[in-house]
């Protein structure tokens, strides 16, 4: 599709709107919509919490009379009756003349039907090509939703803070704090938008963190599920994670043979436990609970195991302006894919730097969502 610079700018605005709904939209995809006539924005909208209006309906309501106007949407308008009526119908009824769509909706209950319905109603539809930078951005914006729908598991972001020389702690397991307050505040925002935050039991013990989303503006309406991978259920009930179980749900995922009395002790303390076979089983169990996105904040052991299992989609690496300079200090992946040749290394789909206070955030996507 040949889009003008103005088209791109309105789609970018729609993507900004979509980002506002990151926390509140799930399990629905967070979408943004801008309605424009003669280069002037008539109305804007983004996905409300489940049950509330979708982005298109919100933008149409804000715009008023929109006959012949263009709607820019970050995701294909829905064509089915869910908790709300189809957005494609709302656009048709309002008399919208053209719809520019950043990305197809991969859900089997939409998957092209929104576009078909609009075209059948006489609307000009421009759907961006899959490799268009704004199409990629739009798919990344809905990474959790798209991964859940297309792969049947949550989208996994591995987040770590490292020294310039790639160390995640000192040899004595001290890691407080490698990244800056600005970076840590950003992580709290990510936690608030994640379906689950996940660590290995050794991080849960060493850092004794609560892993709740705090320091967010506005304050989070809900806490992410906090998950500990702990095959023998050895997480002490004195751990902060356990002691804060009333502040938000905690799930300890054990191996199939974890001692029943330890599981019982954890459950007694208000923590849920679930037995899984392996990492794929853990992801399947989270998917079954409706978790679409996982923020992994575990150490190098869990990170390496996830990488090896092909279960990391994105790496968010905060590189701090410090040097630890110790080969005995842990790195990012304790084990993993370990290719013999550089040619066989895992190649990223994209890598972008961003500043975060005094740190540099490397945003690395291993897999761009389909
Ligand atoms: N700088 C950073 O960003 C950062 C982030 C996190 C942690 N850290 C630091 O890293 C250190 C902890 O790292 P770590 O690697 O020891 O902790 P970890 O990766 O969080 O936890 C490792 C443990 O997870 C359990 N586990 C459960 N399922 C597993 C699976 N499928 N594969 C592998 N392990 C599994 C294992 O214990 P079981 O076999 O008993 O289940 C394993 O010993 C701490 O010093 C912490 O401060 C730094």
């Amino acid at each position: 599709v040949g889009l003008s610079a103005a088209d791109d700018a309105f789609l970018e605005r729609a993507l900004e709107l979509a980002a506002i709904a990151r926390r509140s939209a799930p399990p629905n995809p967070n979408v943004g919509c801008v309605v424009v006539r003669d280069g002037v924005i008539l109305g804007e909208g983004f996905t409300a919490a489940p049950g509330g209006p979708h982005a298109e309906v919100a933008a149409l309501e804000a715009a008023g009379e929109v006959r012949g106007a263009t709607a820019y949407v970050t995701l294909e308008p829905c064509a089915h009756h869910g908790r709300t009526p189809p957005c494609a119908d709302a656009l048709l009824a309002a008399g919208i003349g053209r719809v520019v769509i950043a990305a197809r909706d991969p859900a089997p209950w939409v998957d092209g039907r929104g576009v078909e319905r609009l075209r059948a109603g006489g609307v000009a539809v421009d759907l961006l090509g899959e490799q268009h930078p704004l199409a990629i951005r739009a798919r990344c914006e809905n990474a959790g939703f798209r991964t859940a729908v297309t792969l049947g598991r949550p989208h996994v972001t591995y987040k770590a803070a490292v020294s310039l020389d790639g160390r995640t702690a000192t040899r004595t397991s001290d890691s407080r704090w490698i990244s800056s307050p600005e970076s840590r505040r950003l992580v709290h925002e990510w936690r608030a938008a994640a379906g689950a935050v996940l660590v290995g039991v050794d991080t849960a013990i060493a850092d004794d963190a609560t892993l709740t989303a705090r320091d967010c503006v506005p304050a989070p309406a809900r806490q992410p599920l906090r998950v500990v991978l702990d095959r023998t259920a050895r997480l002490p009930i004195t751990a902060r994670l356990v002691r804060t179980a009333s502040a938000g749900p905690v799930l300890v995922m054990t191996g199939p043979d974890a001692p029943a009395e330890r599981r019982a002790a954890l459950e007694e303390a208000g923590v849920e436990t679930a037995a899984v076979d392996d990492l794929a089983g853990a992801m399947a169990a989270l998917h079954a609970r409706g978790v679409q996105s996982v923020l992994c904040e575990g150490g190098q052991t869990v990170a390496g195991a996830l990488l090896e299992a092909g279960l990391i989609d994105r790496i968010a690496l905060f590189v701090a302006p410090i040097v630890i300079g110790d080969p005995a200090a842990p790195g990012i992946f304790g084990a993993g894919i370990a290719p013999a040749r550089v040619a066989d290394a895992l190649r990223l789909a994209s890598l972008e730097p961003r500043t975060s206070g005094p740190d540099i955030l490397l945003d690395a996507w291993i897999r761009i969502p389909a």
Side-chain angles (χ1 to χ4, degrees):
V1 216
L3 292 192
S4 68
D7 286 334
D8 281 0
F10 290 127
L11 268 184
E12 282 187 26
R13 176 63 192 146
L15 279 164
E16 281 172 21
L17 292 164
I20 300 173
R22 267 181 204 164
R23 267 200 224 169
S24 52
N28 292 331
N30 54 311
V31 180
C33 177
V34 178
V35 177
V36 174
R37 185 160 44 211
D38 300 329
V40 177
I41 294 182
L42 303 178
E44 300 183 331
F46 52 83
T47 320
H54 291 181
E56 297 89 327
V57 171
L60 289 173
E61 257 168 36
E65 211 290 296
V66 298
R67 210 146 282 281
T70 299
Y72 295 84
V73 246
T74 58
L75 181 71
E76 177 181 5
C78 62
H80 64 292
H81 286 268
R83 271 168 290 210
T84 61
C87 292
D89 291 5
L91 292 164
L92 284 171
I96 285 284
R98 178 183 175 228
V99 179
V100 182
I101 302 169
R104 180 185 65 89
D105 186 336
W109 52 90
V110 185
D111 197 21
R113 285 189 194 88
V115 170
E116 275 169 29
R117 205 166 178 122
L118 289 168
R119 285 196 174 133
V123 174
V125 178
D126 287 327
L127 174 63
L128 262 58
E130 281 185 13
Q131 295 309 315
H132 191 292
L134 293 175
I136 291 174
R137 252 181 76 187
R139 296 207 302 285
C140 289
E141 187 63 51
N142 296 148
F145 170 78
R146 300 185 84 93
T147 305
V149 162
T150 59
L151 298 181
R153 64 158 174 87
H155 182 267
V156 180
T157 298
Y158 178 56
K159 166 253 136 186
V162 297
S163 59
L164 179 72
D165 51 329
R167 304 294 166 183
T168 53
T170 65
R171 67 165 77 199
T172 66
S173 292
D174 181 37
S175 64
R176 293 235 165 110
W177 295 105
I178 291 178
S179 59
S180 63
E182 290 89 336
S183 299
R184 299 201 308 271
R185 208 168 306 128
L186 193 53
V187 171
H188 282 282
E189 291 291 339
W190 294 350
R191 285 181 186 167
V197 175
L198 177 147
V199 294
V201 63
D202 289 326
T203 294
I205 293 170
D207 294 357
D208 201 19
T210 64
L211 299 177
T212 49
R214 307 177 300 276
D215 301 335
C216 300
V217 183
R222 51 165 279 285
Q223 285 294 329
L225 176 68
R226 292 170 288 164
V227 180
V228 183
L229 298 178
D230 179 10
R231 285 176 288 214
T232 61
R234 62 187 162 95
L235 181 70
I237 57 163
T238 51
R240 265 207 193 98
L241 266 168
V242 180
R243 285 190 282 121
T244 59
S246 58
V250 179
L251 171 63
V252 173
M253 291 186 133
T254 72
D257 307 320
E261 66 279 7
R262 285 202 209 137
R263 282 184 64 169
L266 286 167
E267 300 213 337
E268 184 73 17
V271 165
E272 199 185 331
T273 70
V276 295
D277 288 329
D278 52 19
L279 292 174
M283 291 304 157
L286 291 175
H287 177 73
R289 295 173 67 112
V291 171
Q292 295 179 336
S293 59
V294 170
L295 180 65
C296 175
E297 301 193 44
Q300 61 169 4
T301 310
V302 156
L306 284 169
L307 186 72
E308 199 177 359
L311 289 171
I312 299 182
D313 300 296
R314 178 188 190 184
I315 301 170
L317 196 65
F318 291 99
V319 181
I322 62 168
V323 172
I324 289 178
D326 181 353
I332 303 169
F333 297 111
I337 47 177
R341 292 150 33 93
V342 172
D344 299 327
L346 177 64
R347 188 155 290 273
L348 300 172
S350 70
L351 175 62
E352 274 182 37
R354 185 169 140 191
T355 55
S356 173
D359 307 328
I360 290 179
L361 168 58
L362 295 176
D363 187 12
W365 289 74
I366 291 179
R367 193 180 289 111
I368 302 287

